[in-house]
PDB file of all heavy atoms in Angstrom:
ATOM      1  N   TYR A 145       0.145  -0.890  -7.449  1.00 97.00           N
ATOM      2  CA  TYR A 145       0.926  -0.015  -6.536  1.00 97.00           C
ATOM      3  C   TYR A 145       0.220   0.160  -5.223  1.00 97.00           C
ATOM      4  O   TYR A 145       0.794   0.045  -4.153  1.00 97.00           O
ATOM      5  CB  TYR A 145       1.176   1.312  -7.247  1.00 97.00           C
ATOM      6  CG  TYR A 145       1.797   2.362  -6.354  1.00 97.00           C
ATOM      7  CD1 TYR A 145       3.199   2.357  -6.108  1.00 97.00           C
ATOM      8  CD2 TYR A 145       1.032   3.357  -5.762  1.00 97.00           C
ATOM      9  CE1 TYR A 145       3.744   3.293  -5.289  1.00 97.00           C
ATOM     10  CE2 TYR A 145       1.631   4.304  -4.924  1.00 97.00           C
ATOM     11  CZ  TYR A 145       2.987   4.292  -4.688  1.00 97.00           C
ATOM     12  OH  TYR A 145       3.567   5.241  -3.907  1.00 97.00           O
ATOM     13  N   GLN A 152       2.378  -2.338   3.033  1.00 92.00           N
ATOM     14  CA  GLN A 152       3.472  -1.673   3.675  1.00 92.00           C
ATOM     15  C   GLN A 152       3.001  -0.787   4.840  1.00 92.00           C
ATOM     16  O   GLN A 152       3.648  -0.775   5.911  1.00 92.00           O
ATOM     17  CB  GLN A 152       4.283  -0.799   2.703  1.00 92.00           C
ATOM     18  CG  GLN A 152       5.483  -0.132   3.365  1.00 92.00           C
ATOM     19  CD  GLN A 152       6.352   0.578   2.313  1.00 92.00           C
ATOM     20  OE1 GLN A 152       6.085   0.563   1.140  1.00 92.00           O
ATOM     21  NE2 GLN A 152       7.407   1.200   2.795  1.00 92.00           N
ATOM     22  N   ALA A 178       4.337  -6.742   0.707  1.00 95.00           N
ATOM     23  CA  ALA A 178       4.460  -5.469   0.054  1.00 95.00           C
ATOM     24  C   ALA A 178       5.595  -5.512  -0.948  1.00 95.00           C
ATOM     25  O   ALA A 178       5.455  -4.998  -2.067  1.00 95.00           O
ATOM     26  CB  ALA A 178       4.781  -4.394   1.098  1.00 95.00           C
ATOM     27  N   PHE A 179       6.715  -6.106  -0.603  1.00 95.00           N
ATOM     28  CA  PHE A 179       7.844  -6.229  -1.541  1.00 95.00           C
ATOM     29  C   PHE A 179       7.433  -6.991  -2.793  1.00 95.00           C
ATOM     30  O   PHE A 179       7.724  -6.576  -3.896  1.00 95.00           O
ATOM     31  CB  PHE A 179       9.012  -6.951  -0.839  1.00 95.00           C
ATOM     32  CG  PHE A 179      10.282  -6.974  -1.625  1.00 95.00           C
ATOM     33  CD1 PHE A 179      11.230  -6.017  -1.484  1.00 95.00           C
ATOM     34  CD2 PHE A 179      10.506  -8.045  -2.554  1.00 95.00           C
ATOM     35  CE1 PHE A 179      12.401  -6.030  -2.246  1.00 95.00           C
ATOM     36  CE2 PHE A 179      11.664  -8.111  -3.251  1.00 95.00           C
ATOM     37  CZ  PHE A 179      12.644  -7.087  -3.121  1.00 95.00           C
ATOM     38  N   PHE A 182       5.109  -4.785  -5.039  1.00 97.00           N
ATOM     39  CA  PHE A 182       5.847  -3.786  -5.793  1.00 97.00           C
ATOM     40  C   PHE A 182       6.727  -4.423  -6.900  1.00 97.00           C
ATOM     41  O   PHE A 182       6.843  -3.870  -7.992  1.00 97.00           O
ATOM     42  CB  PHE A 182       6.715  -2.966  -4.847  1.00 97.00           C
ATOM     43  CG  PHE A 182       5.990  -2.046  -3.935  1.00 97.00           C
ATOM     44  CD1 PHE A 182       6.261  -2.013  -2.597  1.00 97.00           C
ATOM     45  CD2 PHE A 182       4.998  -1.200  -4.442  1.00 97.00           C
ATOM     46  CE1 PHE A 182       5.582  -1.149  -1.730  1.00 97.00           C
ATOM     47  CE2 PHE A 182       4.296  -0.360  -3.578  1.00 97.00           C
ATOM     48  CZ  PHE A 182       4.593  -0.320  -2.221  1.00 97.00           C
ATOM     49  N   ALA A 183       7.286  -5.610  -6.600  1.00 97.00           N
ATOM     50  CA  ALA A 183       8.078  -6.275  -7.585  1.00 97.00           C
ATOM     51  C   ALA A 183       7.191  -6.698  -8.792  1.00 97.00           C
ATOM     52  O   ALA A 183       7.621  -6.610  -9.955  1.00 97.00           O
ATOM     53  CB  ALA A 183       8.735  -7.514  -6.963  1.00 97.00           C
ATOM     54  N   LEU A 185       4.469  -5.167  -9.774  1.00 97.00           N
ATOM     55  CA  LEU A 185       4.210  -3.922 -10.536  1.00 97.00           C
ATOM     56  C   LEU A 185       5.326  -3.604 -11.495  1.00 97.00           C
ATOM     57  O   LEU A 185       5.095  -3.289 -12.675  1.00 97.00           O
ATOM     58  CB  LEU A 185       3.999  -2.746  -9.537  1.00 97.00           C
ATOM     59  CG  LEU A 185       4.059  -1.340 -10.128  1.00 97.00           C
ATOM     60  CD1 LEU A 185       2.916  -1.087 -11.060  1.00 97.00           C
ATOM     61  CD2 LEU A 185       4.113  -0.269  -9.015  1.00 97.00           C
ATOM     62  N   ILE A 186       6.579  -3.608 -10.984  1.00 97.00           N
ATOM     63  CA  ILE A 186       7.728  -3.275 -11.794  1.00 97.00           C
ATOM     64  C   ILE A 186       7.919  -4.265 -12.939  1.00 97.00           C
ATOM     65  O   ILE A 186       8.305  -3.920 -14.044  1.00 97.00           O
ATOM     66  CB  ILE A 186       8.981  -3.180 -10.911  1.00 97.00           C
ATOM     67  CG1 ILE A 186       8.834  -1.973  -9.956  1.00 97.00           C
ATOM     68  CG2 ILE A 186      10.247  -3.008 -11.742  1.00 97.00           C
ATOM     69  CD1 ILE A 186       9.892  -1.880  -8.914  1.00 97.00           C
ATOM     70  N   PRO A 193       4.273   5.255 -13.988  1.00 96.00           N
ATOM     71  CA  PRO A 193       4.706   6.418 -13.212  1.00 96.00           C
ATOM     72  C   PRO A 193       4.916   6.089 -11.722  1.00 96.00           C
ATOM     73  O   PRO A 193       5.516   6.853 -10.990  1.00 96.00           O
ATOM     74  CB  PRO A 193       3.543   7.437 -13.381  1.00 96.00           C
ATOM     75  CG  PRO A 193       2.403   6.639 -13.802  1.00 96.00           C
ATOM     76  CD  PRO A 193       2.933   5.498 -14.596  1.00 96.00           C
ATOM     77  N   TYR A 194       4.432   4.915 -11.317  1.00 97.00           N
ATOM     78  CA  TYR A 194       4.560   4.536  -9.889  1.00 97.00           C
ATOM     79  C   TYR A 194       5.815   3.638  -9.695  1.00 97.00           C
ATOM     80  O   TYR A 194       6.106   3.298  -8.561  1.00 97.00           O
ATOM     81  CB  TYR A 194       3.314   3.738  -9.453  1.00 97.00           C
ATOM     82  CG  TYR A 194       2.041   4.478  -9.707  1.00 97.00           C
ATOM     83  CD1 TYR A 194       1.180   4.070 -10.719  1.00 97.00           C
ATOM     84  CD2 TYR A 194       1.726   5.630  -8.992  1.00 97.00           C
ATOM     85  CE1 TYR A 194       0.001   4.722 -10.975  1.00 97.00           C
ATOM     86  CE2 TYR A 194       0.533   6.312  -9.251  1.00 97.00           C
ATOM     87  CZ  TYR A 194      -0.299   5.886 -10.240  1.00 97.00           C
ATOM     88  OH  TYR A 194      -1.464   6.530 -10.504  1.00 97.00           O
ATOM     89  N   ALA A 195       6.511   3.248 -10.767  1.00 97.00           N
ATOM     90  CA  ALA A 195       7.592   2.331 -10.681  1.00 97.00           C
ATOM     91  C   ALA A 195       8.741   2.885  -9.865  1.00 97.00           C
ATOM     92  O   ALA A 195       9.363   2.162  -9.060  1.00 97.00           O
ATOM     93  CB  ALA A 195       8.056   1.904 -12.073  1.00 97.00           C
ATOM     94  N   THR A 196       9.086   4.157 -10.063  1.00 96.00           N
ATOM     95  CA  THR A 196      10.228   4.731  -9.354  1.00 96.00           C
ATOM     96  C   THR A 196      10.004   4.716  -7.849  1.00 96.00           C
ATOM     97  O   THR A 196      10.880   4.316  -7.063  1.00 96.00           O
ATOM     98  CB  THR A 196      10.486   6.170  -9.827  1.00 96.00           C
ATOM     99  OG1 THR A 196      10.771   6.151 -11.248  1.00 96.00           O
ATOM    100  CG2 THR A 196      11.590   6.813  -9.066  1.00 96.00           C
ATOM    101  N   ASP A 197       8.840   5.140  -7.437  1.00 96.00           N
ATOM    102  CA  ASP A 197       8.530   5.156  -5.998  1.00 96.00           C
ATOM    103  C   ASP A 197       8.475   3.709  -5.432  1.00 96.00           C
ATOM    104  O   ASP A 197       8.929   3.446  -4.336  1.00 96.00           O
ATOM    105  CB  ASP A 197       7.190   5.816  -5.751  1.00 96.00           C
ATOM    106  CG  ASP A 197       6.892   5.954  -4.262  1.00 96.00           C
ATOM    107  OD1 ASP A 197       7.568   6.796  -3.623  1.00 96.00           O
ATOM    108  OD2 ASP A 197       5.983   5.230  -3.788  1.00 96.00           O
ATOM    109  N   ALA A 198       7.960   2.774  -6.294  1.00 97.00           N
ATOM    110  CA  ALA A 198       7.921   1.399  -5.803  1.00 97.00           C
ATOM    111  C   ALA A 198       9.312   0.849  -5.577  1.00 97.00           C
ATOM    112  O   ALA A 198       9.548   0.115  -4.604  1.00 97.00           O
ATOM    113  CB  ALA A 198       7.199   0.537  -6.884  1.00 97.00           C
ATOM    114  N   ARG A 199      10.264   1.187  -6.446  1.00 96.00           N
ATOM    115  CA  ARG A 199      11.649   0.741  -6.241  1.00 96.00           C
ATOM    116  C   ARG A 199      12.214   1.292  -4.965  1.00 96.00           C
ATOM    117  O   ARG A 199      12.943   0.609  -4.244  1.00 96.00           O
ATOM    118  CB  ARG A 199      12.500   1.161  -7.451  1.00 96.00           C
ATOM    119  CG  ARG A 199      12.199   0.392  -8.717  1.00 96.00           C
ATOM    120  CD  ARG A 199      13.195   0.722  -9.802  1.00 96.00           C
ATOM    121  NE  ARG A 199      12.898  -0.003 -11.032  1.00 96.00           N
ATOM    122  CZ  ARG A 199      12.169   0.520 -12.030  1.00 96.00           C
ATOM    123  NH1 ARG A 199      11.685   1.750 -11.917  1.00 96.00           N
ATOM    124  NH2 ARG A 199      11.928  -0.204 -13.121  1.00 96.00           N
ATOM    125  N   GLN A 200      11.976   2.549  -4.660  1.00 95.00           N
ATOM    126  CA  GLN A 200      12.440   3.156  -3.428  1.00 95.00           C
ATOM    127  C   GLN A 200      11.853   2.439  -2.180  1.00 95.00           C
ATOM    128  O   GLN A 200      12.554   2.218  -1.206  1.00 95.00           O
ATOM    129  CB  GLN A 200      12.094   4.636  -3.387  1.00 95.00           C
ATOM    130  CG  GLN A 200      12.834   5.455  -4.488  1.00 95.00           C
ATOM    131  CD  GLN A 200      12.360   6.895  -4.461  1.00 95.00           C
ATOM    132  OE1 GLN A 200      11.460   7.297  -3.751  1.00 95.00           O
ATOM    133  NE2 GLN A 200      12.953   7.688  -5.369  1.00 95.00           N
ATOM    134  N   ARG A 201      10.576   2.123  -2.272  1.00 95.00           N
ATOM    135  CA  ARG A 201       9.970   1.412  -1.189  1.00 95.00           C
ATOM    136  C   ARG A 201      10.539  -0.001  -1.016  1.00 95.00           C
ATOM    137  O   ARG A 201      10.685  -0.492   0.106  1.00 95.00           O
ATOM    138  CB  ARG A 201       8.447   1.332  -1.406  1.00 95.00           C
ATOM    139  CG  ARG A 201       7.747   2.690  -1.268  1.00 95.00           C
ATOM    140  CD  ARG A 201       6.277   2.574  -1.705  1.00 95.00           C
ATOM    141  NE  ARG A 201       5.564   3.780  -1.525  1.00 95.00           N
ATOM    142  CZ  ARG A 201       4.896   4.171  -0.419  1.00 95.00           C
ATOM    143  NH1 ARG A 201       4.861   3.318   0.587  1.00 95.00           N
ATOM    144  NH2 ARG A 201       4.283   5.308  -0.324  1.00 95.00           N
ATOM    145  N   MET A 202      10.860  -0.640  -2.125  1.00 96.00           N
ATOM    146  CA  MET A 202      11.446  -1.973  -2.076  1.00 96.00           C
ATOM    147  C   MET A 202      12.796  -1.988  -1.370  1.00 96.00           C
ATOM    148  O   MET A 202      13.129  -2.966  -0.715  1.00 96.00           O
ATOM    149  CB  MET A 202      11.558  -2.561  -3.480  1.00 96.00           C
ATOM    150  CG  MET A 202      10.216  -2.936  -4.105  1.00 96.00           C
ATOM    151  SD  MET A 202      10.367  -3.432  -5.826  1.00 96.00           S
ATOM    152  CE  MET A 202      11.189  -5.040  -5.604  1.00 96.00           C
ATOM    153  N   VAL A 203      13.555  -0.883  -1.522  1.00 94.00           N
ATOM    154  CA  VAL A 203      14.835  -0.829  -0.811  1.00 94.00           C
ATOM    155  C   VAL A 203      14.601  -0.844   0.671  1.00 94.00           C
ATOM    156  O   VAL A 203      15.307  -1.570   1.407  1.00 94.00           O
ATOM    157  CB  VAL A 203      15.604   0.463  -1.257  1.00 94.00           C
ATOM    158  CG1 VAL A 203      16.824   0.683  -0.381  1.00 94.00           C
ATOM    159  CG2 VAL A 203      16.026   0.372  -2.716  1.00 94.00           C
ATOM    160  N   TRP A 204      13.692  -0.032   1.145  1.00 93.00           N
ATOM    161  CA  TRP A 204      13.386   0.039   2.575  1.00 93.00           C
ATOM    162  C   TRP A 204      12.836  -1.293   3.050  1.00 93.00           C
ATOM    163  O   TRP A 204      13.223  -1.803   4.135  1.00 93.00           O
ATOM    164  CB  TRP A 204      12.374   1.133   2.811  1.00 93.00           C
ATOM    165  CG  TRP A 204      12.049   1.310   4.287  1.00 93.00           C
ATOM    166  CD1 TRP A 204      12.722   2.061   5.205  1.00 93.00           C
ATOM    167  CD2 TRP A 204      10.955   0.685   4.956  1.00 93.00           C
ATOM    168  NE1 TRP A 204      12.091   1.990   6.423  1.00 93.00           N
ATOM    169  CE2 TRP A 204      11.043   1.102   6.338  1.00 93.00           C
ATOM    170  CE3 TRP A 204       9.910  -0.181   4.622  1.00 93.00           C
ATOM    171  CZ2 TRP A 204      10.097   0.738   7.309  1.00 93.00           C
ATOM    172  CZ3 TRP A 204       8.999  -0.549   5.571  1.00 93.00           C
ATOM    173  CH2 TRP A 204       9.100  -0.129   6.890  1.00 93.00           C
ATOM    174  N   LEU A 205      11.963  -1.914   2.279  1.00 94.00           N
ATOM    175  CA  LEU A 205      11.378  -3.205   2.670  1.00 94.00           C
ATOM    176  C   LEU A 205      12.422  -4.310   2.744  1.00 94.00           C
ATOM    177  O   LEU A 205      12.419  -5.150   3.658  1.00 94.00           O
ATOM    178  CB  LEU A 205      10.278  -3.577   1.683  1.00 94.00           C
ATOM    179  CG  LEU A 205       8.971  -2.760   1.782  1.00 94.00           C
ATOM    180  CD1 LEU A 205       8.151  -2.889   0.506  1.00 94.00           C
ATOM    181  CD2 LEU A 205       8.176  -3.101   3.035  1.00 94.00           C
ATOM    182  N   ARG A 206      13.318  -4.306   1.799  1.00 94.00           N
ATOM    183  CA  ARG A 206      14.371  -5.314   1.766  1.00 94.00           C
ATOM    184  C   ARG A 206      15.258  -5.184   3.000  1.00 94.00           C
ATOM    185  O   ARG A 206      15.627  -6.214   3.581  1.00 94.00           O
ATOM    186  CB  ARG A 206      15.224  -5.178   0.449  1.00 94.00           C
ATOM    187  CG  ARG A 206      16.195  -6.321   0.234  1.00 94.00           C
ATOM    188  CD  ARG A 206      16.664  -6.241  -1.226  1.00 94.00           C
ATOM    189  NE  ARG A 206      17.644  -7.296  -1.483  1.00 94.00           N
ATOM    190  CZ  ARG A 206      18.983  -7.071  -1.440  1.00 94.00           C
ATOM    191  NH1 ARG A 206      19.426  -5.864  -1.162  1.00 94.00           N
ATOM    192  NH2 ARG A 206      19.787  -8.042  -1.693  1.00 94.00           N
ATOM    193  N   ASN A 207      15.585  -3.955   3.395  1.00 93.00           N
ATOM    194  CA  ASN A 207      16.322  -3.754   4.615  1.00 93.00           C
ATOM    195  C   ASN A 207      15.578  -4.259   5.824  1.00 93.00           C
ATOM    196  O   ASN A 207      16.159  -4.843   6.772  1.00 93.00           O
ATOM    197  CB  ASN A 207      16.659  -2.243   4.777  1.00 93.00           C
ATOM    198  CG  ASN A 207      17.958  -1.861   4.098  1.00 93.00           C
ATOM    199  OD1 ASN A 207      19.015  -2.353   4.397  1.00 93.00           O
ATOM    200  ND2 ASN A 207      17.843  -0.933   3.163  1.00 93.00           N
ATOM    201  N   ARG A 208      14.267  -4.000   5.831  1.00 92.00           N
ATOM    202  CA  ARG A 208      13.486  -4.446   6.976  1.00 92.00           C
ATOM    203  C   ARG A 208      13.441  -5.986   7.094  1.00 92.00           C
ATOM    204  O   ARG A 208      13.529  -6.519   8.204  1.00 92.00           O
ATOM    205  CB  ARG A 208      12.092  -3.848   6.899  1.00 92.00           C
ATOM    206  CG  ARG A 208      11.312  -3.971   8.181  1.00 92.00           C
ATOM    207  CD  ARG A 208       9.980  -3.284   8.115  1.00 92.00           C
ATOM    208  NE  ARG A 208       9.324  -3.251   9.431  1.00 92.00           N
ATOM    209  CZ  ARG A 208       9.522  -2.320  10.343  1.00 92.00           C
ATOM    210  NH1 ARG A 208      10.309  -1.307  10.097  1.00 92.00           N
ATOM    211  NH2 ARG A 208       8.866  -2.371  11.495  1.00 92.00           N
ATOM    212  N   SER A 288      15.416   4.835   9.472  1.00 37.00           N
ATOM    213  CA  SER A 288      15.749   5.896   8.568  1.00 37.00           C
ATOM    214  C   SER A 288      14.563   6.638   8.003  1.00 37.00           C
ATOM    215  O   SER A 288      13.515   6.022   7.836  1.00 37.00           O
ATOM    216  CB  SER A 288      16.586   5.299   7.418  1.00 37.00           C
ATOM    217  OG  SER A 288      15.842   4.286   6.741  1.00 37.00           O
ATOM    218  N   GLU A 289      14.724   7.900   7.777  1.00 34.00           N
ATOM    219  CA  GLU A 289      13.584   8.732   7.336  1.00 34.00           C
ATOM    220  C   GLU A 289      13.242   8.396   5.906  1.00 34.00           C
ATOM    221  O   GLU A 289      14.097   8.198   5.046  1.00 34.00           O
ATOM    222  CB  GLU A 289      13.926  10.205   7.487  1.00 34.00           C
ATOM    223  CG  GLU A 289      12.812  11.136   7.081  1.00 34.00           C
ATOM    224  CD  GLU A 289      13.223  12.582   7.191  1.00 34.00           C
ATOM    225  OE1 GLU A 289      14.370  12.844   7.576  1.00 34.00           O
ATOM    226  OE2 GLU A 289      12.389  13.444   6.855  1.00 34.00           O
ATOM    227  N   ARG A 290      11.908   8.375   5.631  1.00 37.00           N
ATOM    228  CA  ARG A 290      11.449   8.108   4.267  1.00 37.00           C
ATOM    229  C   ARG A 290      10.681   9.343   3.800  1.00 37.00           C
ATOM    230  O   ARG A 290       9.924   9.948   4.470  1.00 37.00           O
ATOM    231  CB  ARG A 290      10.504   6.909   4.193  1.00 37.00           C
ATOM    232  CG  ARG A 290      11.202   5.596   4.490  1.00 37.00           C
ATOM    233  CD  ARG A 290      10.150   4.507   4.481  1.00 37.00           C
ATOM    234  NE  ARG A 290       9.261   4.625   5.620  1.00 37.00           N
ATOM    235  CZ  ARG A 290       8.057   4.071   5.647  1.00 37.00           C
ATOM    236  NH1 ARG A 290       7.589   3.411   4.599  1.00 37.00           N
ATOM    237  NH2 ARG A 290       7.293   4.211   6.714  1.00 37.00           N
ATOM    238  N   LYS A 291      10.903   9.693   2.555  1.00 37.00           N
ATOM    239  CA  LYS A 291      10.130  10.759   1.890  1.00 37.00           C
ATOM    240  C   LYS A 291       9.613  10.217   0.577  1.00 37.00           C
ATOM    241  O   LYS A 291      10.354  10.080  -0.377  1.00 37.00           O
ATOM    242  CB  LYS A 291      10.984  11.995   1.642  1.00 37.00           C
ATOM    243  CG  LYS A 291      11.469  12.650   2.934  1.00 37.00           C
ATOM    244  CD  LYS A 291      12.308  13.882   2.633  1.00 37.00           C
ATOM    245  CE  LYS A 291      12.767  14.548   3.917  1.00 37.00           C
ATOM    246  NZ  LYS A 291      13.602  15.717   3.662  1.00 37.00           N
ATOM    247  N   TRP A 292       8.339   9.857   0.561  1.00 35.00           N
ATOM    248  CA  TRP A 292       7.754   9.180  -0.541  1.00 35.00           C
ATOM    249  C   TRP A 292       6.679  10.013  -1.230  1.00 35.00           C
ATOM    250  O   TRP A 292       6.026  10.838  -0.637  1.00 35.00           O
ATOM    251  CB  TRP A 292       7.161   7.860  -0.148  1.00 35.00           C
ATOM    252  CG  TRP A 292       8.219   6.808   0.168  1.00 35.00           C
ATOM    253  CD1 TRP A 292       9.426   6.665  -0.388  1.00 35.00           C
ATOM    254  CD2 TRP A 292       8.094   5.819   1.175  1.00 35.00           C
ATOM    255  NE1 TRP A 292      10.041   5.599   0.156  1.00 35.00           N
ATOM    256  CE2 TRP A 292       9.285   5.068   1.152  1.00 35.00           C
ATOM    257  CE3 TRP A 292       7.114   5.458   2.093  1.00 35.00           C
ATOM    258  CZ2 TRP A 292       9.523   4.000   1.964  1.00 35.00           C
ATOM    259  CZ3 TRP A 292       7.350   4.389   2.901  1.00 35.00           C
ATOM    260  CH2 TRP A 292       8.544   3.682   2.839  1.00 35.00           C
ATOM    261  N   TRP A 293       6.526   9.719  -2.455  1.00 38.00           N
ATOM    262  CA  TRP A 293       5.479  10.332  -3.279  1.00 38.00           C
ATOM    263  C   TRP A 293       4.158   9.620  -3.027  1.00 38.00           C
ATOM    264  O   TRP A 293       4.088   8.406  -3.080  1.00 38.00           O
ATOM    265  CB  TRP A 293       5.868  10.262  -4.750  1.00 38.00           C
ATOM    266  CG  TRP A 293       4.829  10.680  -5.707  1.00 38.00           C
ATOM    267  CD1 TRP A 293       4.030  11.793  -5.650  1.00 38.00           C
ATOM    268  CD2 TRP A 293       4.430   9.998  -6.912  1.00 38.00           C
ATOM    269  NE1 TRP A 293       3.241  11.846  -6.728  1.00 38.00           N
ATOM    270  CE2 TRP A 293       3.445  10.748  -7.531  1.00 38.00           C
ATOM    271  CE3 TRP A 293       4.839   8.830  -7.528  1.00 38.00           C
ATOM    272  CZ2 TRP A 293       2.851  10.366  -8.706  1.00 38.00           C
ATOM    273  CZ3 TRP A 293       4.271   8.430  -8.688  1.00 38.00           C
ATOM    274  CH2 TRP A 293       3.288   9.203  -9.256  1.00 38.00           C
ATOM    275  N   TRP A 294       3.064  10.379  -2.758  1.00 38.00           N
ATOM    276  CA  TRP A 294       1.790   9.793  -2.586  1.00 38.00           C
ATOM    277  C   TRP A 294       0.844  10.246  -3.653  1.00 38.00           C
ATOM    278  O   TRP A 294       0.420  11.404  -3.632  1.00 38.00           O
ATOM    279  CB  TRP A 294       1.232  10.163  -1.158  1.00 38.00           C
ATOM    280  CG  TRP A 294       1.869   9.412  -0.109  1.00 38.00           C
ATOM    281  CD1 TRP A 294       3.098   9.721   0.448  1.00 38.00           C
ATOM    282  CD2 TRP A 294       1.411   8.258   0.532  1.00 38.00           C
ATOM    283  NE1 TRP A 294       3.406   8.797   1.406  1.00 38.00           N
ATOM    284  CE2 TRP A 294       2.425   7.905   1.480  1.00 38.00           C
ATOM    285  CE3 TRP A 294       0.319   7.509   0.426  1.00 38.00           C
ATOM    286  CZ2 TRP A 294       2.263   6.804   2.316  1.00 38.00           C
ATOM    287  CZ3 TRP A 294       0.158   6.372   1.266  1.00 38.00           C
ATOM    288  CH2 TRP A 294       1.125   6.045   2.182  1.00 38.00           C
TER     289      TRP A 294
END
Side-chain angles (χ1 to χ4, degrees):
Y145 173 79
Q152 183 173 359
F179 186 92
F182 290 132
L185 164 67
I186 293 171
Y194 308 108
T196 298
D197 185 71
R199 290 188 180 93
Q200 294 174 359
R201 290 172 178 269
M202 288 174 71
V203 170
W204 183 86
L205 289 163
R206 190 165 177 264
N207 271 300
R208 194 174 187 88
S288 56
E289 181 181 0
R290 291 178 291 160
K291 294 181 180 179
W292 288 326
W293 171 48
W294 285 81

